[in-house]
Amino acid sequence: MNAHASSLETSHTAHDPLAPVFAQYPLPVVRGEGVWLYTADGRRVLDLYGGHAVAALGYGHPAWTKALAEQARTMNFQSNAVPMDVRTRAANKLIAFSKLPVQSVFFVNSGAEANENALKMAFTMNSGRTEVIALEQSFHGRTAGAGALTWGAAKKWYGFPRTPFDVKFIARRDVAALSQITSATAAVVVEPIQGVGGAFDLGAEYLKALRKRCDETGAVLIFDEVQCGFGRCGEPFAANLYGVLPDMITTAKALGNGFPCSALLMMKKAADAVKMDALGTTFGGGPMADAAIEATIDAIESEDLLANVRRVSAYIRKTCIVGPITGHQGAGFLTGLISKVPASQLQKALLNDHNILAGTSGDPNVLRLLPPFTLKEAEVDLLSAALKKLG
Ligand SMILES: Cc1ncc(COP(=O)(O)O)c(C=O)c1O
């Protein structure tokens, strides 16, 4: 989820049964097709936000829909207490998709839960150490451990009386600050391309220096690729894009194309530390989630969608630095368009006047684009034309 749904919210009414914790877009969606949303009041809206980076295949993808319907008919749920082919297939497909030396996969249900389990593994691997380092502007989720590592959470919403471990935040992309990682540090958790932080890429040079410092101090390196991973950056993971191998990767969001699921991917050192009963879940790795993961990977591969992400994201960077946009950052379909007017104002004008949904971020001048991997150049042309009019 995103703490920055911006100024487009409508207020909750006294009769709303839902907890009033989400600012909401004035967009009563009833249906979706491809990259388009259709609303109850008859609008057709181009979705460049993908439900917080989730809708990898867009909406109503035929093969994904069929795979879920078939899995629902044959076996909708059994827990990890029984072996299921679909679970093993999903794990093997995810490992092959990653093109990384992943040794073990633990399926859970959300980004935050994957991060909690990664942290638990890190403390197991580094028992006795009590500190975790995260980066300024990071977002890792709302639970006790993940929230403790989320920049600004303590002031805004953390709520727990204390964090479960010692936390230190260091400046992002600052190689000198890596000296704060020491032999007291159990783990370092980073988003290689920060999402909520403004589609801000840390870059290969910084990540290589980070890997080196973790090796020197024995700190476990965790890449939170909940938002930037699973194809969104145009490669399987940002680890591939930057050529830096962490000890663990967490991934979620696009992974199930909207069916809730997440995964903890463990390289050898982490996989070797896993013990029977150390981790657990009821729903994680359920067959519906597995079928969703398998179908999403199949579609990404058969439709060559990573190449599409690379090509069309380059096209965005080439054609959308117009009107109020002065630059870009991020990678692939986690693109930040740097705006000279507040991004929330731009977001509102794009939605109200041009039927285009884009996101904001923690950086007030970054408009964040997280479109489905199926987005085409012709649809980007609608954005660039709208931006020119807003200039
Ligand atoms: C990088 C990152 N990590 C973790 C999370 C938390 O994921 P979830 O909301 O599925 O718990 C998010 C959600 O926005 C995220 O962007």
Side-chain angles (χ1 to χ4, degrees):
M1 58 79 41
N2 177 4
H4 304 280
S6 98
S7 61
L8 292 174
E9 70 258 33
T10 53
S11 61
H12 287 261
T13 68
H15 307 293
D16 192 335
L18 300 171
V21 293
F22 295 108
Q24 294 191 302
Y25 302 127
L27 199 61
V29 170
V30 288
R31 184 169 80 78
E33 201 180 316
V35 295
W36 295 94
L37 303 173
Y38 295 83
T39 66
D41 49 358
R43 290 170 73 193
R44 179 181 186 252
V45 172
L46 177 62
D47 186 5
L48 302 181
Y49 191 60
H52 297 320
V54 167
L57 307 179
Y59 306 102
H61 190 281
W64 181 88
T65 307
K66 185 163 173 263
L68 266 97
E70 274 173 11
Q71 190 61 52
R73 259 196 306 274
T74 39
M75 173 50 80
N76 62 301
F77 189 74
Q78 275 295 303
S79 77
N80 294 278
V82 303
M84 294 193 76
D85 276 355
V86 67
R87 185 180 301 123
T88 310
R89 279 202 315 269
N92 279 330
K93 265 203 177 145
L94 185 53
I95 291 173
F97 172 81
S98 78
K99 297 197 169 75
L100 297 169
V102 175
Q103 300 286 312
S104 192
V105 176
F106 181 59
F107 285 126
V108 271
N109 306 287
S110 68
E113 195 185 359
N115 285 337
E116 293 288 329
N117 281 284
L119 288 164
K120 199 198 259 188
M121 283 309 304
F123 284 113
T124 306
M125 293 157 73
N126 263 336
S127 77
R129 301 191 187 193
T130 56
E131 174 194 80
V132 181
I133 290 192
L135 298 193
E136 293 176 357
Q137 276 83 32
S138 59
F139 188 95
H140 296 295
R142 296 272 182 171
T143 48
L149 300 174
T150 291
W151 176 249
K155 278 206 193 104
K156 286 195 225 141
W157 49 255
Y158 188 65
F160 299 102
R162 64 184 75 89
T163 61
F165 39 76
D166 304 324
V167 179
K168 203 189 280 168
F169 288 99
I170 60 174
R172 53 188 191 176
R173 237 196 242 160
D174 178 354
V175 173
L178 296 177
S179 62
Q180 294 185 62
I181 302 168
T182 67
S183 56
T185 311
V188 182
V189 184
V190 300
E191 302 159 79
I193 308 157
Q194 291 188 331
V196 174
F200 183 92
D201 49 300
L202 296 178
E205 191 195 330
Y206 175 82
L207 291 170
K208 282 180 182 154
L210 172 60
R211 174 72 269 182
K212 186 164 170 276
R213 185 65 189 157
C214 287
D215 289 341
E216 284 161 7
T217 56
V220 171
L221 180 57
I222 300 168
F223 278 3
D224 175 344
E225 299 217 28
V226 165
Q227 187 162 152
C228 68
F230 196 68
R232 181 158 297 283
C233 64
E235 297 292 336
F237 289 94
N240 310 76
L241 180 68
Y242 296 119
V244 177
L245 187 66
D247 301 302
M248 288 180 269
I249 294 178
T250 56
T251 189
K253 292 197 184 271
L255 180 64
N257 187 43
F259 196 93
C261 56
S262 64
L264 169 60
L265 308 181
M266 289 175 271
M267 309 312 147
K268 187 165 184 340
K269 200 164 71 165
D272 286 350
V274 178
K275 299 251 170 12
M276 181 61 75
D277 269 348
L279 309 176
T281 167
T282 296
F283 290 120
M288 297 294 289
D290 301 328
I293 294 168
E294 193 178 25
T296 307
I297 294 174
D298 284 347
I300 290 174
E301 289 179 343
S302 66
E303 294 169 34
D304 208 4
L305 292 181
L306 297 192
N308 190 68
V309 170
R310 291 192 294 270
R311 196 185 68 247
V312 178
S313 63
Y315 188 72
I316 293 176
R317 282 148 215 265
K318 198 171 106 198
T319 60
C320 291
I321 315 306
V322 291
I325 303 301
T326 57
H328 61 78
Q329 58 192 29
F333 278 176
L334 173 43
T335 288
L337 294 180
I338 301 162
S339 165
K340 61 186 177 205
V341 302
S344 58
Q345 186 185 314
L346 206 52
Q347 181 197 43
K348 199 170 189 171
L350 282 170
L351 185 59
N352 293 347
D353 306 337
H354 298 277
N355 285 322
I356 295 175
L357 178 62
T360 54
S361 74
D363 183 330
N365 286 97
V366 171
L367 190 76
R368 189 166 39 133
L369 307 182
L370 301 158
F373 301 175
T374 52
L375 187 77
K376 292 286 179 292
E377 283 88 342
E379 288 135 4
V380 175
D381 289 342
L382 300 174
L383 174 66
S384 58
L387 288 170
K388 272 182 203 147
K389 287 198 184 127
L390 295 170

